[in-house]
Amino acid sequence: MGVIRLPDDVREEALAHVYAEFDRLKWEQVPPGERGAVYVELIADESFSRLLAPYFDTAQMRVWLKDSAAKEYPRALEGIGPAASHTKRGYPGPSVIVSATLGLDWSVVTDSIEQKPMRCQVMSAAGEAAVLIWGPQRMLSNLHWAASVARVAGEQRVVVAVTRHTMAKPAASEWVRVQALCDLIGVEAHSVMYMPRTIDAVGN
């Protein structure tokens, strides 16, 4: 049996409903072990489940929530993809990470932003170049792989920014491990606070 594709209008309405709840909960801060309960609550909400009921059974709804809606949400917070229009929150943008890691005289190269994981080319006022890769610590293996690929491709300076949603810095033992892994491939590691804000507040 092939994968069932939702009609575009149904998908958009379902995403709007789910992302309103993700926004309310600050989904990126919900521990993975607690997310299943949120899916259960959403499916129990008739205003949501009635949208998908003509196409999915309960198990398929959960799969859609986990593998489609939830996976797209981090990119939506970065303002990437059509699903971004359904969240009222957003990250302040890579320029914040650039300033925190490399300084105010560095900026993002136009049209260089890529995803999975998030990364871009950056340039200093003096003409120095680097690659910036960022994401939360739970994605460290993805960040490390992308950094390795950049180094193999010949990039001389690669910066990995491990993002966090609070002022609290990572535990010293955890950070030593992160730095050791990055040292193995000759890239820089930084811990940066990077959290979404309401859209009205972004850039203010």
Side-chain angles (χ1 to χ4, degrees):
M1 183 176 180
V3 176
I4 300 172
R5 178 180 173 84
L6 292 174
D8 289 346
D9 58 336
V10 174
R11 182 178 185 277
E12 294 303 301
E13 189 173 353
L15 280 175
H17 186 106
V18 173
Y19 283 11
E21 182 65 4
F22 284 3
D23 283 352
R24 185 185 71 80
L25 294 171
K26 296 183 178 178
W27 184 251
E28 71 285 349
Q29 298 184 40
V30 177
E34 298 177 13
R35 293 184 174 189
V38 178
Y39 301 148
V40 171
E41 292 177 4
L42 281 164
I43 293 169
D45 181 353
E46 188 177 349
S47 63
F48 168 73
S49 59
R50 66 173 176 78
L51 298 170
L52 273 58
Y55 313 95
F56 294 158
D57 59 25
T58 299
Q60 290 170 320
M61 289 182 193
R62 184 185 177 91
V63 170
W64 181 84
L65 282 167
K66 180 181 178 181
D67 293 346
S68 183
K71 279 191 175 179
E72 291 182 34
Y73 188 68
R75 291 190 288 277
L77 291 178
E78 295 279 6
I80 292 175
S85 63
H86 297 302
T87 175
K88 304 302 181 186
R89 304 170 68 229
Y91 284 111
S95 59
V96 170
I97 299 176
V98 174
S99 298
T101 57
L102 295 170
L104 296 175
D105 61 335
W106 286 77
S107 58
V108 177
V109 175
T110 304
D111 296 328
S112 71
I113 297 175
E114 298 182 74
Q115 56 177 311
K116 298 182 181 181
M118 297 300 300
R119 58 197 188 280
C120 65
Q121 299 281 338
V122 293
M123 187 76 68
S124 74
E128 299 173 88
V131 173
L132 173 69
I133 303 166
W134 71 95
Q137 188 163 333
R138 61 181 172 77
M139 288 180 58
L140 183 59
S141 60
N142 302 79
L143 304 179
H144 193 272
W145 175 256
S148 299
V149 170
R151 291 288 286 145
V152 168
E155 297 291 350
Q156 294 300 304
R157 188 173 186 184
V158 180
V159 180
V160 171
V162 180
T163 59
R164 61 182 195 274
H165 296 116
T166 67
M167 292 287 289
K169 294 184 178 180
S173 58
E174 293 179 5
W175 191 245
V176 166
R177 176 173 174 272
V178 171
Q179 289 183 309
L181 286 168
C182 288
D183 285 345
L184 279 175
I185 55 174
V187 304
E188 301 172 33
H190 297 265
S191 177
V192 181
M193 189 175 76
Y194 186 61
M195 59 187 295
R197 296 171 283 179
T198 60
I199 294 297
D200 288 343
V202 173
N204 292 343

